[in-house]
Amino acid sequence: SRIVYNASAQYSGSPFHTGGFNGPTGNNCDYDCSVPKDDRFLGETDFLLCGPGTFGDDGSFIREQTAWWIARKIGVPSIHRRFCRVFVNGVQRQTVFEDTQQPGGAWISEYWPSDNDGHLHKAQDWIEYADDGASFQTDLRAHFTKRTTTGGAHKIAAYRYQWTARSVEGSANDWIDFTRLVDAHNTGASAADPAYFAALDPLVDQDSWARSLAIQRIAGNWDTWGWLYGKNMYIYKPKSGPWFMTPWDIDFSFDLTGYPATTGLFDNTQDPLADKFRTQPAFRRAYWCAFRDAVDGPMLAANATARIDAMVAGLAASGVTANASQVTIVKNYVENRRNYIITQLNGAYPGTPFSLSGSSTITDADGLLTLAGNAPPGVKTFLINGVSYTPAWTSETTWSLPLTLYAASNNFTVQGLGLLGNVVGSFTVAITVTGPPPLPPVTINEWMADNTSAGGIADPADSQYEDWFELHNSGATAVNLGGFFLTDTTANATQFQIPAGTLIPAGGHLLVWADGEASQNGVTAGQLHVNFKLSATGEQIALSTPDGVLVNLVTFGPQTPDQSQGRYPDGGADLVFPVSTPGSRNALTPDVLTVTDPGTGTFQLTFSTEPTHTYQVESTADLGAWAAWGAPVVPASTTTTVTLPRSEERRFWRARLVVP
């Protein structure tokens, strides 16, 4: 019912298939369609129309949609596909098509809405044509082998074709993050080398990588990186997070190309570094966890059959009849593949329970202890009395969890959770601490709950004027606050858990932005973002230990715009309105103590100071613009006296704290 002018369509397909395209209404093909920005089609300017399978050879019509449904169910950043009919010059093409979402800017914004300006790359073949323009002279598969030029520098030209940049903010020649990923993959002589895990784990989201590899094996799609061919995977690097992976083009699936349901889960891998990834114990466990979630969830016969039947019924309601025997093949493959995966899980982890090693009643002298035990695949994190913890995996089945307990009596229920929050198992443990450690000397030191652009302080992460507060460590040693909690309501003491590895040095400060944007953590070094905001009408801010013991609490009333309130001196009991010094030692506006006349044509101004802070004496003739007089002063005591010239012209003088 609508004409879109200046639209276009191109054949869509890899070079392995383009030789068979012989006209828009000839042999089966897919279409890559474009429309103008000012006349979008369903909100898009570019979209793919793909026949189910490879150019419509899937008579069930639902193979790839089933694969993506399983992917979504196990938490893979996935692709949406919807059925449609396609006509070219009045001729219907194939029986049915799929309007297919592909990773790009809109897809990135869907999954990373607050960090959508990173780097997206696609694993694909690097094909060089022979002189005849049809046959291949070179066909290289994508891998993470380090390619270098003379002198050992990364050979970006090689990566550019194997891992093509698809959606890039900034320069398409910026490959710094990618080359770091390549270096990490090639660190260490083997997967068992601790240096390999230490290099790669901070750079990759191990679950998205493991689950993207697993979903291809579940579907039997060998045409992918991590199996026979180095292609059909996307990786995305947000600015403030690790690399994520998602599959693409899962069309050779569910016995469409003759791969049986008993095909191995680890074999025939094109890139040795994919095998290296799957062999490292922590990554291998993440891989097994993906299979565990799949066989316990979407691959259950009742779940998979209901989903497949619903899709087939929906097609039938629109006059499209799926091939019944092909649908049965898909159902049987899912069931048989599930049974095979279960045998592999049981072989790798025979009878491994979620359990604690040793006694469930523990007496500890100082509150510094480590729990250890076993866990089957599927356990990703722990929930201890409702608080989330991430264990260290000492092998694929054994875990350890260091704890610091500040309470004398501790009764814990420990639950093992899957990645999607499902409870895999649980146990209880009672711990008595005869000599709990002292609470860390950390206070909520300064805060601004009414921060405006008129005179406030901007957050460097996004240039917005947002609530903030500051933590201060008055101790002589650094304090690790990883796992502690911050909140603005004591009714929810675990509102925000401080990320692991968050340190405040001895005598140091930590600036915390109360902006409700915890996703910005990592954007600005040495600063933290929490998932709540402060109220200018007054409220509380509290810091508590991982086991729920209150470390510090401050209650404040109505606030003045762009004026911070805090403790003076740092960590003290008095609440005052200091000069705003976020992330630095609190200070007060200097007070003029005396003005004396020594009778020498000068006068002396004495004002209160604090050692190590910097002050500037300034003057003005009309209380308009102030001008600095003399060099800045860094006093050594609590008072400072300066000698100033006496002039026949009346002038005003002041001492001003220079905020660090």
Side-chain angles (χ1 to χ4, degrees):
S1 61
R2 169 173 160 236
I3 296 174
V4 180
Y5 291 97
N6 297 318
S8 66
Q10 297 178 340
Y11 295 124
S12 177
S14 76
F16 291 98
H17 304 289
T18 53
F21 298 158
N22 62 354
T25 59
N27 293 341
N28 285 352
C29 63
D30 294 343
Y31 302 96
D32 185 345
C33 305
S34 299
V35 296
K37 290 182 178 180
D38 61 354
D39 199 1
R40 296 171 182 259
F41 180 71
L42 298 178
E44 293 294 332
T45 59
D46 182 84
F47 51 95
L48 293 180
L49 301 174
C50 303
T54 304
F55 312 118
D57 63 354
D58 174 16
S60 77
F61 305 135
I62 49 82
R63 278 182 165 89
E64 191 158 3
Q65 293 221 21
T66 299
W68 281 114
W69 172 74
I70 295 174
R72 285 193 294 274
K73 289 295 185 181
I74 64 172
V76 175
S78 60
I79 303 301
H80 181 68
R81 304 168 73 92
R82 57 185 164 195
F83 294 115
C84 60
R85 289 188 177 92
V86 175
F87 295 80
V88 178
N89 291 345
V91 177
Q92 181 171 343
R93 302 292 288 147
Q94 306 178 36
T95 304
V96 68
F97 270 76
E98 292 176 283
D99 176 12
T100 304
Q101 184 184 26
Q102 61 179 326
W107 177 82
I108 292 171
S109 295
E110 180 181 347
Y111 283 97
W112 294 272
S114 61
D115 201 342
N116 57 5
D117 52 359
H119 291 264
L120 179 71
H121 296 261
K122 182 187 179 185
Q124 62 181 27
D125 298 297
W126 177 3
I127 293 175
E128 299 285 351
Y129 285 94
D131 291 343
D132 61 12
S135 59
F136 299 162
Q137 177 176 318
T138 304
D139 178 14
L140 298 178
R141 310 297 185 179
H143 48 70
F144 282 108
T145 301
K146 185 175 181 178
R147 297 292 195 94
T148 58
T149 62
T150 303
H154 281 278
K155 191 173 185 178
I156 304 302
Y159 306 142
R160 195 181 301 276
Y161 292 100
Q162 297 178 65
W163 295 93
T164 305
R166 282 302 183 93
S167 180
V168 177
E169 182 76 14
S171 173
N173 296 316
D174 180 3
W175 288 77
I176 293 176
D177 285 329
F178 185 87
T179 55
R180 288 172 180 160
L181 182 63
V182 171
D183 287 337
H185 273 288
N186 289 274
T187 299
S190 68
D193 191 332
Y196 168 64
F197 179 76
L200 188 58
D201 185 57
L203 299 186
V204 301
D205 180 85
Q206 60 174 261
D207 290 304
S208 75
W209 283 59
R211 287 171 186 248
S212 294
L213 292 169
I215 192 63
Q216 300 279 25
R217 296 279 177 163
I218 288 169
N221 181 46
W222 45 265
D223 190 27
T224 180
W225 182 83
W227 203 341
L228 285 181
Y229 295 109
K231 58 193 299 188
N232 292 333
M233 286 288 195
Y234 279 84
I235 55 174
Y236 176 65
K237 173 64 175 70
K239 284 192 173 181
S240 61
W243 287 92
F244 288 79
M245 178 176 280
T246 195
W248 167 251
D249 204 17
I250 318 176
D251 49 9
F252 296 152
S253 55
F254 301 118
D255 203 19
L256 183 62
T257 56
Y259 265 64
T262 55
T263 301
L265 305 179
F266 293 86
D267 55 359
N268 297 324
T269 302
Q270 168 267 343
D271 186 351
L273 293 175
D275 270 339
K276 185 179 181 182
F277 176 87
R278 280 189 295 239
T279 304
Q280 199 283 328
F283 300 149
R284 188 181 185 93
R285 179 178 178 81
Y287 189 57
W288 281 118
C289 284
F291 289 117
R292 182 82 266 172
D293 284 349
V295 299
D296 288 346
M299 294 186 76
L300 285 167
N303 295 335
T305 297
R307 174 67 181 186
I308 291 170
D309 286 347
M311 288 190 288
V312 171
L315 288 167
S318 296
V320 177
T321 302
N323 184 302
S325 63
Q326 286 293 311
V327 172
T328 300
I329 288 174
V330 175
K331 291 180 179 178
N332 290 340
Y333 188 95
V334 173
E335 181 179 3
N336 293 334
R337 190 66 167 156
R338 177 178 182 271
N339 291 336
Y340 172 76
I341 293 172
I342 289 174
T343 65
Q344 301 303 298
L345 284 164
N346 291 341
Y349 304 94
T352 303
F354 180 59
S355 60
L356 174 71
S357 298
S359 174
S360 61
T361 302
I362 300 172
T363 298
D364 185 77
D366 59 5
L368 306 176
L369 69 157
T370 298
L371 301 181
N374 300 301
V379 173
K380 182 65 180 176
T381 58
F382 292 177
L383 202 64
I384 302 180
N385 289 2
V387 177
S388 179
Y389 291 80
T390 300
W393 297 100
T394 53
S395 77
E396 291 180 52
T397 59
T398 57
W399 54 267
S400 66
L401 183 65
L403 295 175
T404 300
L405 302 179
Y406 296 91
S409 179
N410 304 272
N411 294 290
F412 294 147
T413 296
V414 183
Q415 296 175 302
L417 303 183
L419 181 67
L420 306 179
N422 53 303
V423 178
V424 179
S426 66
F427 60 81
T428 60
V429 59
I431 305 173
T432 300
V433 181
T434 56
L439 292 173
V442 176
T443 54
I444 296 143
N445 198 53
E446 187 180 0
W447 54 92
M448 183 181 286
D450 195 358
N451 186 15
T452 76
S453 59
I457 298 167
D459 175 3
D462 57 12
S463 301
Q464 300 298 308
Y465 291 80
E466 298 161 321
D467 303 339
W468 58 267
F469 60 94
E470 168 194 276
L471 303 178
H472 169 60
N473 171 20
S474 60
T477 59
V479 172
N480 186 347
L481 289 181
F484 282 60
F485 291 96
L486 289 166
T487 185
D488 68 340
T489 171
T490 53
N492 181 12
T494 61
Q495 189 171 9
F496 175 80
Q497 189 166 34
I498 299 176
T502 302
L503 299 175
I504 305 183
H509 303 78
L510 175 65
L511 177 58
V512 182
W513 292 96
D515 53 8
E517 298 173 346
S519 61
Q520 290 185 350
N521 281 320
V523 175
T524 306
Q527 297 184 9
L528 195 62
H529 296 257
V530 295
N531 58 359
F532 58 84
K533 299 181 180 182
L534 303 180
S535 172
T537 60
E539 59 174 342
Q540 296 178 321
I541 310 173
L543 171 70
S544 58
T545 67
D547 56 334
V549 178
L550 183 65
V551 176
N552 191 240
L553 170 70
V554 65
T555 301
F556 59 87
Q559 301 293 287
T560 302
D562 303 324
Q563 173 68 64
S564 65
Q565 188 176 10
R567 300 180 185 276
Y568 184 81
D570 278 356
D574 293 337
L575 301 184
V576 297
F577 284 95
V579 177
S580 297
T581 56
S584 301
R585 185 164 63 89
N586 288 352
L588 299 178
T589 301
D591 290 327
V592 174
L593 303 178
T594 61
V595 178
T596 57
D597 181 1
T600 59
T602 62
F603 70 93
Q604 293 179 325
L605 178 68
T606 301
F607 54 94
S608 62
T609 55
E610 297 178 65
T612 75
H613 274 312
T614 301
Y615 297 84
Q616 177 67 60
V617 176
E618 299 174 335
S619 71
T620 179
D622 55 8
L623 291 179
W626 290 84
W629 183 88
V633 177
V634 181
S637 65
T638 57
T639 62
T640 295
T641 299
V642 293
T643 300
L644 303 174
R646 184 190 297 274
S647 172
E648 294 181 1
E649 178 186 5
R650 184 177 65 177
R651 299 191 68 81
F652 300 90
W653 298 84
R654 74 179 182 186
R656 182 176 63 84
L657 171 69
V658 179
V659 178

